[in-house]
Amino acid sequence: MGLAAGLATGFRPALARSGGIKLGFAPWADAEFITRLAAKLIEDKLNTKVELVQTDVAPLYQGVTRGDVDAMLMCWLPKTHEDYYKRVEGKVERLGTLYGDAKLGWVVPKYVPESELASLEDLAKPAVQEKLGGRIQGIEPGAGLTRLSQDTLKAYGLNGYKLQESSEAAMLSMLNRQMRGKNWIVATAWSPHWMFGKYELRYLADPKGALGAAEEVVGLGRPGLKKDRPEVAAFLSKLNMPLNELEAAMLVAQEESVEAAVSKYVDEHAQRVNGWFAA
């Protein structure tokens, strides 16, 4: 793809002055796919060099505000990234909605009987807590889902549980291991994600709404992006795809490669892609 990508402990200056664009993303499956898709299209359709920077969520928001990256395509609103967005609102440029109907929640394998565990409230049952070992498998400490999951433990009085903070990769590894043995496990999760295409999972009901309702994922640009790079900002403002298409592409990315998934998506959805660049 001709893209430079790497882990960032600190940002180098954005590429805008030399004609290139820098896109930042956190190491989550949906964010990586849509960012790499955008990068390929910016290079191919707009003849603009793209550098990708992978980093954690907090420095990513800070980087967009300071102009260290030109855009990020993973701002979850209204609740997941509420704290982060409040700090940058008015200091960044809001682009378009990338996809809607996104969701956060806690999942269990479908072989776990609903008669025993159907809702977050059921986690308080002593027998359920024992089968789960008092553990909820989580992701990164800085993720909005982690913050909301800590709040959820309090909202439902789940004092006997610990949220095991790790990473998306570690969470998926634990989920895979436990499901191979048909063991019970509760993991923090979100849609869109390829895990729902690979594993038979179901969300636990959240009657108190502690984990929020439907979310939209929007793009954010650095200050001045729309003025400095109107063609890039216009494309990123139109970039939008149905959730089912995104999840299907993410599964291809997992089973083959992100590059293969991006190429396949562009080939199979030419009309939609062309619409993102229409005048």
Side-chain angles (χ1 to χ4, degrees):
M1 290 176 65
L3 302 174
L7 290 170
T9 53
F11 292 111
R12 297 196 305 276
L15 298 176
R17 295 184 187 87
S18 60
I21 289 293
K22 184 177 286 189
L23 300 179
F25 68 99
W28 303 338
D30 56 319
E32 181 173 8
F33 173 79
I34 203 159
T35 303
R36 289 188 180 274
L37 172 65
K40 177 174 174 57
L41 292 173
I42 289 171
E43 290 202 331
D44 292 352
K45 300 277 192 180
L46 300 178
N47 195 29
T48 298
K49 177 181 170 65
V50 177
E51 180 177 347
L52 297 181
V53 179
Q54 178 183 306
T55 187
D56 293 328
V57 180
L60 184 57
Y61 273 91
Q62 187 178 36
V64 177
T65 306
R66 297 189 314 209
D68 294 330
V69 293
D70 293 288
M72 59 176 280
L73 307 179
M74 50 168 297
C75 174
W76 284 58
L77 297 173
K79 193 165 184 179
T80 307
H81 287 176
E82 179 182 14
D83 287 353
Y84 290 120
Y85 188 66
K86 281 181 178 178
R87 297 186 196 125
V88 305
E89 190 173 9
K91 302 176 184 177
V92 297
E93 295 183 352
R94 181 164 171 163
L95 305 172
T97 298
L98 303 162
Y99 41 96
D101 295 324
K103 178 179 180 178
L104 301 180
W106 292 2
V107 297
V108 296
K110 285 187 177 179
Y111 57 72
V112 174
E114 285 194 63
S115 58
E116 297 181 59
L117 180 52
S119 165
L120 296 178
E121 293 177 325
D122 293 330
L123 292 169
K125 298 175 181 176
V128 171
Q129 182 177 326
E130 183 178 354
K131 287 184 178 180
L132 291 169
R135 183 166 84 170
I136 308 297
Q137 182 61 49
I139 57 170
E140 294 89 349
L145 175 55
T146 301
R147 173 179 57 82
L148 291 172
S149 292
Q150 294 284 13
D151 293 342
T152 298
L153 289 175
K154 297 174 185 175
Y156 286 91
L158 301 176
N159 302 321
Y161 284 86
K162 178 183 178 182
L163 179 65
Q164 185 66 46
E165 297 177 357
S166 57
S167 66
E168 178 187 8
M171 177 272 288
L172 292 165
S173 177
M174 179 62 73
L175 185 66
N176 184 64
R177 188 181 314 131
Q178 294 296 88
M179 289 187 71
R180 282 204 310 267
K182 294 290 184 181
N183 299 315
W184 283 34
I185 181 173
V186 173
T188 64
W190 62 95
S191 300
H193 201 288
W194 57 261
M195 73 175 90
F196 294 97
K198 183 172 183 178
Y199 304 114
E200 292 192 347
L201 302 167
R202 60 180 172 83
Y203 280 105
L204 294 176
D206 178 14
K208 296 184 179 181
L211 289 160
E215 300 260 297
E216 64 173 349
V217 180
V218 303
L220 298 180
R222 62 165 173 81
L225 179 66
K226 293 178 181 178
K227 179 182 178 182
D228 298 340
R229 305 305 302 268
E231 76 290 353
V232 173
F235 158 61
L236 294 177
S237 295
K238 291 180 181 177
L239 176 58
N240 177 279
M241 64 174 62
L243 213 59
N244 64 318
E245 289 182 9
L246 178 56
E247 287 197 323
M250 290 164 64
L251 186 57
V252 175
Q254 169 62 19
E255 295 180 340
E256 299 180 35
S257 69
V258 181
E259 291 77 14
V262 166
S263 294
K264 183 176 182 181
Y265 186 87
V266 172
D267 290 342
E268 294 182 353
H269 300 87
Q271 184 175 359
R272 187 184 302 284
V273 169
N274 289 335
W276 296 335
F277 292 92

